[in-house]
Amino acid sequence: MNEIRQTKEYYTGNDPVKQIMAQQIEEECPLDPVEEAKILIVNKITKHFQDVMFEMVNEEMSKCYLFQTQNYFTEAGYEMFEEEWFEFYHHNHGDILYEVMQNITD
């Protein structure tokens, strides 16, 4: 479809098949190629940025005494309270990530 769209051959003449194809392409892909490319780039960068931010928060939390399991549990204790620790850690991870994102967008 992109080849057809880029050549604009589907707009020439009065061929009803080409007219139907042109209409279907416009309905399925209403954006022009530049807008589509910009959207793809933004989505790719955003996904990568979110992954990097997620990992950075993990790394910083692992350096903080409050978020290190070995400071609270033995291995047996960790197994016993694993779900609670998971919830505690990820709740705080989400709070930190949210605040970082807010600071970036402000």
Side-chain angles (χ1 to χ4, degrees):
M1 271 199 270
N2 282 336
E3 288 177 359
I4 293 171
R5 178 186 290 165
Q6 290 172 1
T7 62
K8 301 285 185 184
E9 290 177 8
Y10 59 91
Y11 286 119
T12 60
N14 291 326
D15 185 348
V17 173
K18 287 185 179 181
Q19 289 175 349
I20 291 170
M21 285 178 57
Q23 183 179 2
Q24 287 176 341
I25 289 171
E26 289 302 315
E27 289 172 2
E28 292 174 12
C29 306
L31 300 177
D32 66 65
V34 173
E35 288 301 314
E36 288 180 24
K38 288 176 8 183
I39 290 169
L40 290 173
I41 291 167
V42 166
N43 290 343
K44 185 174 183 177
I45 290 171
T46 301
K47 173 68 174 132
H48 180 70
F49 181 72
Q50 289 170 338
D51 290 345
V52 168
M53 293 303 298
F54 185 91
E55 288 301 319
M56 288 178 73
V57 171
N58 276 342
E59 184 178 324
E60 291 303 315
M61 287 179 75
S62 71
K63 296 175 186 176
C64 182
Y65 180 87
L66 294 171
F67 299 111
Q68 297 172 356
T69 59
Q70 67 271 20
N71 295 322
Y72 300 101
F73 303 118
T74 63
E75 193 170 319
Y78 179 75
E79 289 176 14
M80 192 170 159
F81 294 104
E82 184 175 5
E83 284 186 38
E84 291 82 358
W85 179 259
F86 182 85
E87 288 179 25
F88 166 78
Y89 185 89
H90 287 280
H91 172 76
N92 288 291
H93 182 280
D95 288 348
I96 294 167
L97 190 56
Y98 175 79
E99 289 297 323
V100 168
M101 297 303 281
Q102 288 298 314
N103 289 342
I104 290 170
T105 57
D106 288 341

